[in-house]
Amino acid sequence: MHSERILVVEDEEALSDILRDALKRHGYKIERAFDGDTGLEMAEKLLPDLIILDIMLPRMDGWEVCRRLKENKKTSAIPIILLTARRDEQDVVAGLDLGADDYIRKPFSLIELAARVRSVLRRSKANNNKENSIKIGPLEMDFERQIVSLWGENLDLSPTEYHLLEILARNKERVLSREELLAKGWGYYLGDSRTVDVHISRLRRKIEEDPENPKLLHTVRGRGYMIKWKEKSA
Ligand code: CA
């Protein structure tokens, strides 16, 4: 089963239903928006793994949605598959120029849809850090066996702490906002940003010699958290 989350932005309800049902059968989690504005809002909140974006939308069309998604730092890395009814090759080229990853012409077969989705997700994963293990200073994580060690000693982390640490480690030296951590970690609806702070401080007690002066898990004021090894804490 996949657990990737896909946001479908399509105003035609019947087609949106078909997309949802087909993708759900493949094990994806589906979120839906029926216009461009809502699509943008949901993309920013949910940070899905993929967006399937119809071009012909009421008010704000798919081009504009695509352009704004790519302009926004939070959403710019999310791959986009455009749905187009148009025959014009120029449109497809324009869409790919805007940063879309692929396109599907209507009408399409569900087999084609599933294949495109799979291939775009595979490519996007390859761009993220999907290694099996990582070493950050004295911290080592084995993602396959879910083992974490510090200076060679195994650590006992709760599943939530482990998950949080994995997200941070896979994005090492990158600042992740609380919202990003929530979206990647627990799902947007399941917690608030205070929950993140609580788990971070628990994690620090386990991975930092002095939790007050962290050398691994840093707070970046006003922005979020980042994992980076610094011998001397800032
Ligand atoms: Ca449409």
mmCIF file with all atom_site columns, all heavy atoms in Angstrom, residues 61-80:
data_model
loop_
_atom_site.group_PDB
_atom_site.id
_atom_site.type_symbol
_atom_site.label_atom_id
_atom_site.label_alt_id
_atom_site.label_comp_id
_atom_site.label_asym_id
_atom_site.label_entity_id
_atom_site.label_seq_id
_atom_site.pdbx_PDB_ins_code
_atom_site.Cartn_x
_atom_site.Cartn_y
_atom_site.Cartn_z
_atom_site.occupancy
_atom_site.B_iso_or_equiv
_atom_site.pdbx_formal_charge
_atom_site.auth_seq_id
_atom_site.auth_comp_id
_atom_site.auth_asym_id
_atom_site.auth_atom_id
_atom_site.pdbx_PDB_model_num
ATOM 1   N N   . ASP A 1 61 ? -7.793 29.924 -13.099 1.00 0.00 ? 61 ASP A N   1
ATOM 2   C CA  . ASP A 1 61 ? -7.564 28.693 -13.864 1.00 0.00 ? 61 ASP A CA  1
ATOM 3   C C   . ASP A 1 61 ? -6.302 27.950 -13.392 1.00 0.00 ? 61 ASP A C   1
ATOM 4   O O   . ASP A 1 61 ? -5.545 28.440 -12.564 1.00 0.00 ? 61 ASP A O   1
ATOM 5   C CB  . ASP A 1 61 ? -7.518 28.974 -15.375 1.00 0.00 ? 61 ASP A CB  1
ATOM 6   C CG  . ASP A 1 61 ? -6.329 29.838 -15.775 1.00 0.00 ? 61 ASP A CG  1
ATOM 7   O OD1 . ASP A 1 61 ? -5.346 29.914 -15.012 1.00 0.00 ? 61 ASP A OD1 1
ATOM 8   O OD2 . ASP A 1 61 ? -6.387 30.441 -16.867 1.00 0.00 ? 61 ASP A OD2 1
ATOM 9   N N   . GLY A 1 62 ? -6.151 26.753 -13.951 1.00 0.00 ? 62 GLY A N   1
ATOM 10  C CA  . GLY A 1 62 ? -5.049 25.889 -13.532 1.00 0.00 ? 62 GLY A CA  1
ATOM 11  C C   . GLY A 1 62 ? -3.672 26.492 -13.777 1.00 0.00 ? 62 GLY A C   1
ATOM 12  O O   . GLY A 1 62 ? -2.733 26.235 -13.025 1.00 0.00 ? 62 GLY A O   1
ATOM 13  N N   . TRP A 1 63 ? -3.537 27.308 -14.822 1.00 0.00 ? 63 TRP A N   1
ATOM 14  C CA  . TRP A 1 63 ? -2.245 27.949 -15.092 1.00 0.00 ? 63 TRP A CA  1
ATOM 15  C C   . TRP A 1 63 ? -1.825 28.806 -13.921 1.00 0.00 ? 63 TRP A C   1
ATOM 16  O O   . TRP A 1 63 ? -0.692 28.775 -13.471 1.00 0.00 ? 63 TRP A O   1
ATOM 17  C CB  . TRP A 1 63 ? -2.310 28.865 -16.326 1.00 0.00 ? 63 TRP A CB  1
ATOM 18  C CG  . TRP A 1 63 ? -2.753 28.221 -17.590 1.00 0.00 ? 63 TRP A CG  1
ATOM 19  C CD1 . TRP A 1 63 ? -3.838 28.579 -18.337 1.00 0.00 ? 63 TRP A CD1 1
ATOM 20  C CD2 . TRP A 1 63 ? -2.141 27.122 -18.263 1.00 0.00 ? 63 TRP A CD2 1
ATOM 21  N NE1 . TRP A 1 63 ? -3.935 27.762 -19.440 1.00 0.00 ? 63 TRP A NE1 1
ATOM 22  C CE2 . TRP A 1 63 ? -2.909 26.865 -19.409 1.00 0.00 ? 63 TRP A CE2 1
ATOM 23  C CE3 . TRP A 1 63 ? -1.024 26.332 -18.006 1.00 0.00 ? 63 TRP A CE3 1
ATOM 24  C CZ2 . TRP A 1 63 ? -2.603 25.858 -20.305 1.00 0.00 ? 63 TRP A CZ2 1
ATOM 25  C CZ3 . TRP A 1 63 ? -0.708 25.332 -18.888 1.00 0.00 ? 63 TRP A CZ3 1
ATOM 26  C CH2 . TRP A 1 63 ? -1.494 25.097 -20.020 1.00 0.00 ? 63 TRP A CH2 1
ATOM 27  N N   . GLU A 1 64 ? -2.798 29.619 -13.484 1.00 0.00 ? 64 GLU A N   1
ATOM 28  C CA  . GLU A 1 64 ? -2.524 30.557 -12.392 1.00 0.00 ? 64 GLU A CA  1
ATOM 29  C C   . GLU A 1 64 ? -2.228 29.787 -11.097 1.00 0.00 ? 64 GLU A C   1
ATOM 30  O O   . GLU A 1 64 ? -1.316 30.134 -10.350 1.00 0.00 ? 64 GLU A O   1
ATOM 31  C CB  . GLU A 1 64 ? -3.743 31.488 -12.214 1.00 0.00 ? 64 GLU A CB  1
ATOM 32  C CG  . GLU A 1 64 ? -3.578 32.580 -11.178 1.00 0.00 ? 64 GLU A CG  1
ATOM 33  C CD  . GLU A 1 64 ? -2.425 33.539 -11.471 1.00 0.00 ? 64 GLU A CD  1
ATOM 34  O OE1 . GLU A 1 64 ? -1.948 33.569 -12.629 1.00 0.00 ? 64 GLU A OE1 1
ATOM 35  O OE2 . GLU A 1 64 ? -1.995 34.237 -10.531 1.00 0.00 ? 64 GLU A OE2 1
ATOM 36  N N   . VAL A 1 65 ? -3.010 28.738 -10.858 1.00 0.00 ? 65 VAL A N   1
ATOM 37  C CA  . VAL A 1 65 ? -2.784 27.921 -9.662  1.00 0.00 ? 65 VAL A CA  1
ATOM 38  C C   . VAL A 1 65 ? -1.371 27.334 -9.707  1.00 0.00 ? 65 VAL A C   1
ATOM 39  O O   . VAL A 1 65 ? -0.610 27.401 -8.735  1.00 0.00 ? 65 VAL A O   1
ATOM 40  C CB  . VAL A 1 65 ? -3.827 26.782 -9.547  1.00 0.00 ? 65 VAL A CB  1
ATOM 41  C CG1 . VAL A 1 65 ? -3.525 25.884 -8.357  1.00 0.00 ? 65 VAL A CG1 1
ATOM 42  C CG2 . VAL A 1 65 ? -5.243 27.356 -9.434  1.00 0.00 ? 65 VAL A CG2 1
ATOM 43  N N   . CYS A 1 66 ? -1.004 26.816 -10.850 1.00 0.00 ? 66 CYS A N   1
ATOM 44  C CA  . CYS A 1 66 ? 0.309  26.201 -11.030 1.00 0.00 ? 66 CYS A CA  1
ATOM 45  C C   . CYS A 1 66 ? 1.408  27.243 -10.773 1.00 0.00 ? 66 CYS A C   1
ATOM 46  O O   . CYS A 1 66 ? 2.380  26.987 -10.056 1.00 0.00 ? 66 CYS A O   1
ATOM 47  C CB  . CYS A 1 66 ? 0.410  25.653 -12.450 1.00 0.00 ? 66 CYS A CB  1
ATOM 48  S SG  . CYS A 1 66 ? 1.928  24.759 -12.787 1.00 0.00 ? 66 CYS A SG  1
ATOM 49  N N   . ARG A 1 67 ? 1.243  28.415 -11.364 1.00 0.00 ? 67 ARG A N   1
ATOM 50  C CA  . ARG A 1 67 ? 2.249  29.474 -11.214 1.00 0.00 ? 67 ARG A CA  1
ATOM 51  C C   . ARG A 1 67 ? 2.423  29.842 -9.734  1.00 0.00 ? 67 ARG A C   1
ATOM 52  O O   . ARG A 1 67 ? 3.528  29.955 -9.229  1.00 0.00 ? 67 ARG A O   1
ATOM 53  C CB  . ARG A 1 67 ? 1.811  30.705 -12.013 1.00 0.00 ? 67 ARG A CB  1
ATOM 54  C CG  . ARG A 1 67 ? 2.945  31.625 -12.399 1.00 0.00 ? 67 ARG A CG  1
ATOM 55  C CD  . ARG A 1 67 ? 2.458  32.793 -13.258 1.00 0.00 ? 67 ARG A CD  1
ATOM 56  N NE  . ARG A 1 67 ? 1.377  33.554 -12.640 1.00 0.00 ? 67 ARG A NE  1
ATOM 57  C CZ  . ARG A 1 67 ? 1.545  34.400 -11.621 1.00 0.00 ? 67 ARG A CZ  1
ATOM 58  N NH1 . ARG A 1 67 ? 2.740  34.607 -11.137 1.00 0.00 ? 67 ARG A NH1 1
ATOM 59  N NH2 . ARG A 1 67 ? 0.508  35.035 -11.106 1.00 0.00 ? 67 ARG A NH2 1
ATOM 60  N N   . ARG A 1 68 ? 1.287  29.997 -9.033  1.00 0.00 ? 68 ARG A N   1
ATOM 61  C CA  . ARG A 1 68 ? 1.364  30.380 -7.612  1.00 0.00 ? 68 ARG A CA  1
ATOM 62  C C   . ARG A 1 68 ? 1.955  29.286 -6.739  1.00 0.00 ? 68 ARG A C   1
ATOM 63  O O   . ARG A 1 68 ? 2.662  29.556 -5.775  1.00 0.00 ? 68 ARG A O   1
ATOM 64  C CB  . ARG A 1 68 ? -0.028 30.764 -7.090  1.00 0.00 ? 68 ARG A CB  1
ATOM 65  C CG  . ARG A 1 68 ? -0.536 32.018 -7.759  1.00 0.00 ? 68 ARG A CG  1
ATOM 66  C CD  . ARG A 1 68 ? -1.670 32.593 -6.967  1.00 0.00 ? 68 ARG A CD  1
ATOM 67  N NE  . ARG A 1 68 ? -2.363 33.614 -7.754  1.00 0.00 ? 68 ARG A NE  1
ATOM 68  C CZ  . ARG A 1 68 ? -3.343 34.341 -7.299  1.00 0.00 ? 68 ARG A CZ  1
ATOM 69  N NH1 . ARG A 1 68 ? -3.781 34.177 -6.066  1.00 0.00 ? 68 ARG A NH1 1
ATOM 70  N NH2 . ARG A 1 68 ? -3.921 35.250 -8.058  1.00 0.00 ? 68 ARG A NH2 1
ATOM 71  N N   . LEU A 1 69 ? 1.636  28.036 -7.078  1.00 0.00 ? 69 LEU A N   1
ATOM 72  C CA  . LEU A 1 69 ? 2.205  26.922 -6.306  1.00 0.00 ? 69 LEU A CA  1
ATOM 73  C C   . LEU A 1 69 ? 3.720  26.909 -6.443  1.00 0.00 ? 69 LEU A C   1
ATOM 74  O O   . LEU A 1 69 ? 4.442  26.661 -5.480  1.00 0.00 ? 69 LEU A O   1
ATOM 75  C CB  . LEU A 1 69 ? 1.645  25.583 -6.806  1.00 0.00 ? 69 LEU A CB  1
ATOM 76  C CG  . LEU A 1 69 ? 0.213  25.233 -6.408  1.00 0.00 ? 69 LEU A CG  1
ATOM 77  C CD1 . LEU A 1 69 ? -0.272 24.032 -7.203  1.00 0.00 ? 69 LEU A CD1 1
ATOM 78  C CD2 . LEU A 1 69 ? 0.111  24.954 -4.913  1.00 0.00 ? 69 LEU A CD2 1
ATOM 79  N N   . LYS A 1 70 ? 4.196  27.190 -7.649  1.00 0.00 ? 70 LYS A N   1
ATOM 80  C CA  . LYS A 1 70 ? 5.634  27.153 -7.891  1.00 0.00 ? 70 LYS A CA  1
ATOM 81  C C   . LYS A 1 70 ? 6.346  28.376 -7.327  1.00 0.00 ? 70 LYS A C   1
ATOM 82  O O   . LYS A 1 70 ? 7.537  28.328 -7.049  1.00 0.00 ? 70 LYS A O   1
ATOM 83  C CB  . LYS A 1 70 ? 5.918  27.003 -9.395  1.00 0.00 ? 70 LYS A CB  1
ATOM 84  C CG  . LYS A 1 70 ? 5.514  25.648 -9.955  1.00 0.00 ? 70 LYS A CG  1
ATOM 85  C CD  . LYS A 1 70 ? 6.309  24.521 -9.291  1.00 0.00 ? 70 LYS A CD  1
ATOM 86  C CE  . LYS A 1 70 ? 5.735  23.150 -9.572  1.00 0.00 ? 70 LYS A CE  1
ATOM 87  N NZ  . LYS A 1 70 ? 6.402  22.080 -8.804  1.00 0.00 ? 70 LYS A NZ  1
ATOM 88  N N   . GLU A 1 71 ? 5.604  29.476 -7.171  1.00 0.00 ? 71 GLU A N   1
ATOM 89  C CA  . GLU A 1 71 ? 6.195  30.697 -6.598  1.00 0.00 ? 71 GLU A CA  1
ATOM 90  C C   . GLU A 1 71 ? 6.341  30.620 -5.086  1.00 0.00 ? 71 GLU A C   1
ATOM 91  O O   . GLU A 1 71 ? 7.198  31.265 -4.505  1.00 0.00 ? 71 GLU A O   1
ATOM 92  C CB  . GLU A 1 71 ? 5.297  31.901 -6.912  1.00 0.00 ? 71 GLU A CB  1
ATOM 93  C CG  . GLU A 1 71 ? 5.694  32.616 -8.174  1.00 0.00 ? 71 GLU A CG  1
ATOM 94  C CD  . GLU A 1 71 ? 4.714  33.734 -8.500  1.00 0.00 ? 71 GLU A CD  1
ATOM 95  O OE1 . GLU A 1 71 ? 3.882  34.091 -7.617  1.00 0.00 ? 71 GLU A OE1 1
ATOM 96  O OE2 . GLU A 1 71 ? 4.774  34.226 -9.625  1.00 0.00 ? 71 GLU A OE2 1
ATOM 97  N N   . ASN A 1 72 ? 5.436  29.847 -4.482  1.00 0.00 ? 72 ASN A N   1
ATOM 98  C CA  . ASN A 1 72 ? 5.403  29.736 -3.027  1.00 0.00 ? 72 ASN A CA  1
ATOM 99  C C   . ASN A 1 72 ? 6.444  28.709 -2.557  1.00 0.00 ? 72 ASN A C   1
ATOM 100 O O   . ASN A 1 72 ? 6.397  27.546 -2.942  1.00 0.00 ? 72 ASN A O   1
ATOM 101 C CB  . ASN A 1 72 ? 3.987  29.298 -2.618  1.00 0.00 ? 72 ASN A CB  1
ATOM 102 C CG  . ASN A 1 72 ? 3.815  29.246 -1.112  1.00 0.00 ? 72 ASN A CG  1
ATOM 103 O OD1 . ASN A 1 72 ? 4.781  29.159 -0.353  1.00 0.00 ? 72 ASN A OD1 1
ATOM 104 N ND2 . ASN A 1 72 ? 2.563  29.291 -0.690  1.00 0.00 ? 72 ASN A ND2 1
ATOM 105 N N   . LYS A 1 73 ? 7.374  29.170 -1.735  1.00 0.00 ? 73 LYS A N   1
ATOM 106 C CA  . LYS A 1 73 ? 8.452  28.286 -1.275  1.00 0.00 ? 73 LYS A CA  1
ATOM 107 C C   . LYS A 1 73 ? 7.935  27.008 -0.620  1.00 0.00 ? 73 LYS A C   1
ATOM 108 O O   . LYS A 1 73 ? 8.533  25.949 -0.726  1.00 0.00 ? 73 LYS A O   1
ATOM 109 C CB  . LYS A 1 73 ? 9.319  29.026 -0.253  1.00 0.00 ? 73 LYS A CB  1
ATOM 110 C CG  . LYS A 1 73 ? 10.573 29.595 -0.879  1.00 0.00 ? 73 LYS A CG  1
ATOM 111 C CD  . LYS A 1 73 ? 11.547 30.012 0.207   1.00 0.00 ? 73 LYS A CD  1
ATOM 112 C CE  . LYS A 1 73 ? 12.567 30.984 -0.368  1.00 0.00 ? 73 LYS A CE  1
ATOM 113 N NZ  . LYS A 1 73 ? 12.951 32.015 0.579   1.00 0.00 ? 73 LYS A NZ  1
ATOM 114 N N   . LYS A 1 74 ? 6.811  27.173 0.098   1.00 0.00 ? 74 LYS A N   1
ATOM 115 C CA  . LYS A 1 74 ? 6.262  26.018 0.814   1.00 0.00 ? 74 LYS A CA  1
ATOM 116 C C   . LYS A 1 74 ? 5.802  24.925 -0.135  1.00 0.00 ? 74 LYS A C   1
ATOM 117 O O   . LYS A 1 74 ? 5.882  23.754 0.171   1.00 0.00 ? 74 LYS A O   1
ATOM 118 C CB  . LYS A 1 74 ? 5.042  26.461 1.631   1.00 0.00 ? 74 LYS A CB  1
ATOM 119 C CG  . LYS A 1 74 ? 5.357  26.934 3.021   1.00 0.00 ? 74 LYS A CG  1
ATOM 120 C CD  . LYS A 1 74 ? 4.056  27.356 3.643   1.00 0.00 ? 74 LYS A CD  1
ATOM 121 C CE  . LYS A 1 74 ? 4.034  27.187 5.130   1.00 0.00 ? 74 LYS A CE  1
ATOM 122 N NZ  . LYS A 1 74 ? 2.733  27.678 5.665   1.00 0.00 ? 74 LYS A NZ  1
ATOM 123 N N   . THR A 1 75 ? 5.249  25.348 -1.282  1.00 0.00 ? 75 THR A N   1
ATOM 124 C CA  . THR A 1 75 ? 4.609  24.360 -2.154  1.00 0.00 ? 75 THR A CA  1
ATOM 125 C C   . THR A 1 75 ? 5.388  24.102 -3.443  1.00 0.00 ? 75 THR A C   1
ATOM 126 O O   . THR A 1 75 ? 4.997  23.252 -4.233  1.00 0.00 ? 75 THR A O   1
ATOM 127 C CB  . THR A 1 75 ? 3.182  24.834 -2.547  1.00 0.00 ? 75 THR A CB  1
ATOM 128 O OG1 . THR A 1 75 ? 3.275  26.154 -3.111  1.00 0.00 ? 75 THR A OG1 1
ATOM 129 C CG2 . THR A 1 75 ? 2.266  24.871 -1.351  1.00 0.00 ? 75 THR A CG2 1
ATOM 130 N N   . SER A 1 76 ? 6.493  24.812 -3.624  1.00 0.00 ? 76 SER A N   1
ATOM 131 C CA  . SER A 1 76 ? 7.160  24.755 -4.928  1.00 0.00 ? 76 SER A CA  1
ATOM 132 C C   . SER A 1 76 ? 7.717  23.374 -5.271  1.00 0.00 ? 76 SER A C   1
ATOM 133 O O   . SER A 1 76 ? 7.878  23.040 -6.439  1.00 0.00 ? 76 SER A O   1
ATOM 134 C CB  . SER A 1 76 ? 8.275  25.798 -4.999  1.00 0.00 ? 76 SER A CB  1
ATOM 135 O OG  . SER A 1 76 ? 9.233  25.532 -4.006  1.00 0.00 ? 76 SER A OG  1
ATOM 136 N N   . ALA A 1 77 ? 8.000  22.570 -4.257  1.00 0.00 ? 77 ALA A N   1
ATOM 137 C CA  . ALA A 1 77 ? 8.596  21.261 -4.539  1.00 0.00 ? 77 ALA A CA  1
ATOM 138 C C   . ALA A 1 77 ? 7.546  20.178 -4.795  1.00 0.00 ? 77 ALA A C   1
ATOM 139 O O   . ALA A 1 77 ? 7.885  19.059 -5.174  1.00 0.00 ? 77 ALA A O   1
ATOM 140 C CB  . ALA A 1 77 ? 9.496  20.836 -3.380  1.00 0.00 ? 77 ALA A CB  1
ATOM 141 N N   . ILE A 1 78 ? 6.281  20.503 -4.583  1.00 0.00 ? 78 ILE A N   1
ATOM 142 C CA  . ILE A 1 78 ? 5.241  19.477 -4.773  1.00 0.00 ? 78 ILE A CA  1
ATOM 143 C C   . ILE A 1 78 ? 5.046  19.236 -6.270  1.00 0.00 ? 78 ILE A C   1
ATOM 144 O O   . ILE A 1 78 ? 4.793  20.168 -7.025  1.00 0.00 ? 78 ILE A O   1
ATOM 145 C CB  . ILE A 1 78 ? 3.895  19.933 -4.155  1.00 0.00 ? 78 ILE A CB  1
ATOM 146 C CG1 . ILE A 1 78 ? 4.070  20.264 -2.671  1.00 0.00 ? 78 ILE A CG1 1
ATOM 147 C CG2 . ILE A 1 78 ? 2.823  18.867 -4.355  1.00 0.00 ? 78 ILE A CG2 1
ATOM 148 C CD1 . ILE A 1 78 ? 2.842  20.912 -2.044  1.00 0.00 ? 78 ILE A CD1 1
ATOM 149 N N   . PRO A 1 79 ? 5.183  17.984 -6.710  1.00 0.00 ? 79 PRO A N   1
ATOM 150 C CA  . PRO A 1 79 ? 4.985  17.726 -8.136  1.00 0.00 ? 79 PRO A CA  1
ATOM 151 C C   . PRO A 1 79 ? 3.534  17.934 -8.572  1.00 0.00 ? 79 PRO A C   1
ATOM 152 O O   . PRO A 1 79 ? 2.613  17.730 -7.781  1.00 0.00 ? 79 PRO A O   1
ATOM 153 C CB  . PRO A 1 79 ? 5.407  16.270 -8.305  1.00 0.00 ? 79 PRO A CB  1
ATOM 154 C CG  . PRO A 1 79 ? 5.415  15.673 -6.950  1.00 0.00 ? 79 PRO A CG  1
ATOM 155 C CD  . PRO A 1 79 ? 5.593  16.786 -5.965  1.00 0.00 ? 79 PRO A CD  1
ATOM 156 N N   . ILE A 1 80 ? 3.376  18.361 -9.813  1.00 0.00 ? 80 ILE A N   1
ATOM 157 C CA  . ILE A 1 80 ? 2.041  18.653 -10.347 1.00 0.00 ? 80 ILE A CA  1
ATOM 158 C C   . ILE A 1 80 ? 1.825  17.896 -11.649 1.00 0.00 ? 80 ILE A C   1
ATOM 159 O O   . ILE A 1 80 ? 2.685  17.897 -12.522 1.00 0.00 ? 80 ILE A O   1
ATOM 160 C CB  . ILE A 1 80 ? 1.893  20.168 -10.641 1.00 0.00 ? 80 ILE A CB  1
ATOM 161 C CG1 . ILE A 1 80 ? 2.062  20.987 -9.353  1.00 0.00 ? 80 ILE A CG1 1
ATOM 162 C CG2 . ILE A 1 80 ? 0.528  20.468 -11.293 1.00 0.00 ? 80 ILE A CG2 1
ATOM 163 C CD1 . ILE A 1 80 ? 2.119  22.491 -9.592  1.00 0.00 ? 80 ILE A CD1 1
#
